[in-house]
């Protein structure tokens, strides 16, 4: 029996004791309230018809106004040093029920220092959370409404300021509910911002480019179009002589502003991006330039350049970055080179061999007089479009851009001429006309010295004597492709050898 009694009077744990004291205080407060006149007899409007009533009202008026005495005497006597007979100054009075920790974090709303009743009604309200007005309207009492009502308004603004901000205090700047971009990613899909290549601007935070409330620009951007991008990117790179039309369409026409799986934040891989605007057929014909597979930006700057057609370098200099320049420099250079490589070749693709803009000889005839190649008698190689079997299209050490010296070129096909009686082989022991070099050239002379001894054409005095001195290598109105009016070899000879 003694043991049982001892168990009953054992001291209670501290937590249990505190709970018991709180319960006794609440009962005592309620009893006191019941003993005092009902405040609502005079102050009925405080809660009448209001949607939300402060829980403290049900606890009794003196739970907050303990400094009021002399009730029902009017005016009431204030026995405390605090206005309206409050038990303590704001916000300390409110901390009697509300957790003070929620109001004293790293970043505290300035309104907290103005007192809880700056935003909340202490008794009852027609609005949620005892606010003195609608969510945003309460905020606009201090914050400039114009900042939240521009042309483009963030949808979150219509969800209420507290969808992003804590109205009291937080551990992050600007009273945000989460650090940095995390608050944005509560609504926006994180996957769009975490692809393989991420825009460096994301590290600066969403508000580096976007206004979180409203702007006059689209997509809540802080500046219109490319102007925003040029706050970080060098404007000079986008304003040179030739500007890509896509630049005028905006940076985001080619680049994803947040993240992408392609390099340089491109919205598509390699040439596929360019082909969204440029006609793919022009790049996929029978013969495709190897440079195309290297990517469009191998030759073109995607933004702007001082050269035409957005080329990285002017004219043929660009081509020489891959093609051997020495093959285009020699004693005789095809005049077409001065027109640029694209005078004859398509830079992307062509239905013709060697990327020619048209097949041989059509491409040649764009400059050369077709009449000179279509007389009564046409040289078979010309008729067979074999221009390149005799001529180099670019440069040569031989006259007329020939692949070899004039007579050697001819004798490769007409080798029988040197084996039978002919003007060059002779009709007897005396021999024939010397082609290229005179037969009596002294031995031991070097090439340069021997070149000075070359026999020149007696009629076309700027040309060396060769097969073409008598024959037109392309076409002629005379037999045997004679260059001059003659029906027989003797008549031709008499043009120079007067009888």
């Amino acid at each position: 029996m003694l043991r049982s009694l001892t168990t009953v009077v054992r001291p209670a744990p501290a937590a249990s004791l505190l709970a018991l004291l709180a319960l006794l205080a609440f009962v005592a407060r309620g009893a006191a309230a019941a003993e005092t006149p009902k405040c609502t007899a005079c102050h009925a409007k405080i809660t009448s018809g209001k949607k939300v009533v402060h829980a403290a009202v049900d606890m009794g008026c003196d739970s907050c106004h303990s400094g009021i005495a002399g009730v029902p005497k009017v005016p009431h006597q204030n026995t405390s040093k605090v206005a309206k007979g409050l038990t303590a100054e704001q916000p300390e009075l409110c901390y009697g029920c509300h957790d003070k920790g929620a109001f004293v974090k790293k970043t505290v709303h300035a309104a907290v220092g103005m007192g809880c009743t700056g935003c909340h009604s202490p008794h009852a309200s027609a609005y949620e959370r005892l606010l003195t007005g609608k969510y945003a309207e309460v905020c606009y009492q201090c914050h400039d409404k114009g900042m939240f009502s521009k042309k483009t308004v963030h949808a979150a603004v219509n969800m209420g300021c507290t969808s992003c901000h804590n109205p009291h205090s937080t551990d992050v700047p600007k009273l945000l509910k989460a650090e940095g971009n995390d608050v944005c990613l509560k609504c926006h899909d994180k996957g769009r911002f975490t692809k393989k290549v991420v825009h460096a601007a994301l590290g600066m935070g969403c508000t580096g480019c976007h206004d979180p409330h409203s702007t006059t620009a689209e997509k809540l951007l802080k500046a219109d179009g490319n102007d925003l991008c040029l706050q970080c990117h060098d404007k000079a790179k986008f304003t040179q002589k030739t500007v890509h039309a896509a630049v005028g369409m905006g940076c985001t026409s080619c680049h994803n502003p947040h993240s992408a799986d392609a390099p340089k934040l491109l919205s598509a891989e390699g040439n596929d991006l360019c082909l969204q605007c440029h006609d793919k057929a022009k790049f996929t014909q029978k013969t495709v330039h190897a440079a195309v597979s290297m990517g469009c930006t191998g030759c073109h700057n995607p933004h702007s350049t001082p050269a035409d057609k957005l080329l990285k370098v002017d004219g043929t200099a660009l081509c020489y970055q891959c093609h051997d320049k020495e093959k285009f420099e020699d004693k005789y250079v095809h005049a077409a080179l001065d027109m640029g490589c694209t005078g004859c070749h398509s830079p992307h693709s062509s239905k013709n061999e060697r990327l020619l803009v048209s097949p041989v000889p059509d491409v040649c005839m764009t400059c050369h007089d077709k009449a000179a190649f279509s007389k009564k008698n046409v040289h078979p190689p010309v008729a067979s479009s074999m221009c390149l079997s005799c001529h180099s299209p670019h440069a040569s050490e031989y006259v007329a851009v020939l692949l070899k010296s004039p007579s050697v070129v001819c004798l490769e096909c007409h080798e029988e001429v040197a084996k039978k009686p002919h003007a060059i082989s002779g009709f007897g022991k005396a021999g024939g006309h010397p082609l290229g070099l005179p037969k009596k050239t002294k031995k031991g002379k070097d090439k340069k010295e021997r070149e000075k001894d070359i026999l020149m054409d007696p009629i076309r005095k700027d040309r060396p004597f060769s097969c073409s001195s008598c024959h037109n290598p392309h076409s002629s109105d005379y037999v045997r492709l004679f260059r001059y009016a003659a029906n027989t070899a003797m008549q031709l000879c008499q043009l120079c050898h007067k009888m």
Side-chain angles (χ1 to χ4, degrees):
M1 188 68 179
L2 180 60
R3 181 178 295 172
S4 176
L5 180 61
T6 303
T7 302
V8 171
V9 299
R10 181 179 296 169
S16 300
L17 182 59
L18 289 174
L20 179 60
L21 291 173
L23 177 61
L24 292 174
F26 179 78
V27 172
R29 181 179 290 177
E35 293 172 2
T36 59
K38 199 170 184 180
C39 299
T40 53
C42 294
H43 301 285
K45 290 184 179 180
I46 288 177
T47 59
S48 178
K50 303 292 174 65
K51 180 180 177 181
V52 183
V53 179
H54 194 184
V57 171
D58 293 332
M59 294 164 60
C61 300
D62 62 341
S63 63
C64 295
H65 299 276
S66 61
I68 292 179
V71 179
K73 185 179 179 181
V74 179
H76 304 318
Q77 182 181 353
N78 185 352
T79 60
S80 72
K81 296 181 180 181
V82 184
K84 299 183 180 181
L86 292 172
T87 305
E89 291 280 5
Q90 295 184 62
E92 292 301 325
L93 172 66
C94 303
Y95 295 155
C97 294
H98 299 278
D99 178 14
K100 184 175 181 178
F103 302 83
V104 292
K105 294 179 180 177
K106 185 177 179 181
T107 305
V108 180
H109 193 184
V112 171
M114 297 161 59
C116 303
T117 55
C119 297
H120 301 278
S121 170
H123 303 117
S125 172
Y127 306 101
E128 292 181 7
R129 301 176 188 268
L130 289 167
L131 290 171
T132 55
K134 290 182 178 180
Y135 264 120
E137 294 303 324
V138 172
C139 303
Y140 293 152
Q141 291 175 3
C142 295
H143 298 279
D144 179 10
K145 188 174 182 179
M147 294 174 60
F148 305 84
S149 54
K150 295 176 182 177
K151 180 181 176 182
T152 305
V153 180
H154 192 185
V157 170
N158 296 325
M159 295 163 60
C161 304
T162 55
S163 61
C164 297
H165 301 277
N166 186 301
H168 303 124
S169 74
T170 64
D171 289 324
V172 298
K174 299 186 179 181
L175 291 167
L176 291 172
K177 288 186 173 181
E179 192 80 53
N181 296 346
D182 290 342
V183 69
C184 303
L185 296 177
K186 287 184 176 180
C187 291
H188 298 279
D189 179 11
K190 188 174 182 177
R192 295 173 57 192
F193 304 85
T194 54
K195 293 178 180 178
K196 186 177 178 181
V197 182
V198 179
H199 193 185
L202 262 64
M204 299 160 57
C206 301
T207 54
C209 297
H210 301 277
D211 188 293
H213 302 122
S214 72
T215 65
T216 54
E218 293 181 358
K219 299 184 180 182
L220 290 167
L221 294 174
K222 287 186 172 181
D224 273 312
N226 296 349
D227 290 341
L228 178 68
C229 304
L230 296 177
Q231 291 178 0
C232 292
H233 298 279
D234 182 8
K235 187 175 182 178
K237 293 181 178 180
F238 304 83
T239 54
Q240 297 180 82
K241 180 183 174 183
T242 306
V243 180
H244 192 185
V247 171
M249 296 162 61
C251 302
T252 55
S253 62
C254 295
H255 301 276
N256 187 302
H258 303 122
S259 73
D261 289 325
K264 300 183 180 182
L265 289 168
L266 294 174
S267 53
E269 285 278 2
N271 296 349
D272 290 341
L273 176 67
C274 304
L275 296 177
Q276 290 178 0
C277 292
H278 298 278
D279 182 8
K280 188 174 182 177
K282 293 181 178 180
F283 303 83
T284 55
Q285 297 180 82
K286 180 182 177 182
T287 306
V288 180
H289 192 185
V292 171
S293 63
M294 297 162 58
C296 301
T297 54
C299 297
H300 301 276
N301 186 301
H303 302 124
S304 73
T305 65
D308 291 336
K309 299 185 179 182
L310 289 168
L311 293 174
K312 288 185 172 180
V313 183
D314 266 316
T316 54
L318 177 68
C319 303
Y320 293 151
Q321 291 180 354
C322 293
H323 298 278
D324 183 4
K325 189 176 182 179
E326 290 185 0
K327 293 182 178 180
F328 303 83
E329 296 176 335
D330 215 322
K331 185 176 179 180
Y332 298 96
V333 178
H334 192 184
L337 263 63
D338 293 333
M339 299 162 55
C341 301
T342 55
C344 297
H345 301 278
S346 169
H348 302 123
S349 74
S350 171
K351 61 183 179 180
N352 306 303
E353 293 182 357
R354 305 184 189 208
L355 289 168
L356 292 172
V357 294
S358 57
V360 177
D362 293 345
V363 66
C364 305
M365 299 307 171
T366 55
C367 293
H368 297 281
D369 182 9
K370 190 173 182 179
F373 302 83
S374 56
K375 294 179 180 178
K376 184 177 179 181
N377 299 302
V378 179
H379 194 188
V382 173
S384 301
S385 305
M386 296 169 62
C387 303
L388 300 181
S389 63
C390 297
H391 300 277
S392 167
H394 302 126
S396 169
E397 65 174 301
Y398 304 106
V399 68
V401 203
L402 289 169
L403 295 173
K404 297 179 181 179
S405 62
S407 298
V408 173
V409 169
C410 299
L411 291 173
E412 284 187 337
C413 291
H414 304 281
E415 56 183 11
E416 78 285 352
V417 171
K419 299 176 182 179
K420 64 181 182 180
H422 190 274
I424 66 168
S425 59
F427 302 95
K429 294 181 180 181
H433 280 292
L435 300 179
L437 297 175
K439 286 189 174 182
K440 294 182 180 180
T441 299
K442 294 181 181 179
K443 293 182 179 180
K445 285 188 176 182
D446 62 24
K447 185 178 179 181
K448 287 185 178 180
E449 289 178 327
R450 287 187 291 121
E451 283 180 349
K452 294 178 182 178
D453 295 333
I454 292 176
L455 181 65
M456 300 305 289
D457 188 319
I459 297 178
R460 298 183 302 159
K461 299 183 183 299
D462 61 331
R463 300 291 182 96
F465 192 89
S466 67
C467 300
S468 60
S469 295
C470 297
H471 301 279
N472 189 311
H474 302 124
S475 72
S476 170
D477 287 329
Y478 312 108
V479 297
R480 300 181 186 179
L481 290 170
F482 286 155
R483 180 174 288 279
Y484 306 107
N487 292 317
T488 66
M490 183 60 69
Q491 288 179 355
L492 186 67
C493 296
Q494 288 175 347
L495 292 173
C496 297
H497 302 280
K498 304 299 182 182
M499 295 292 195

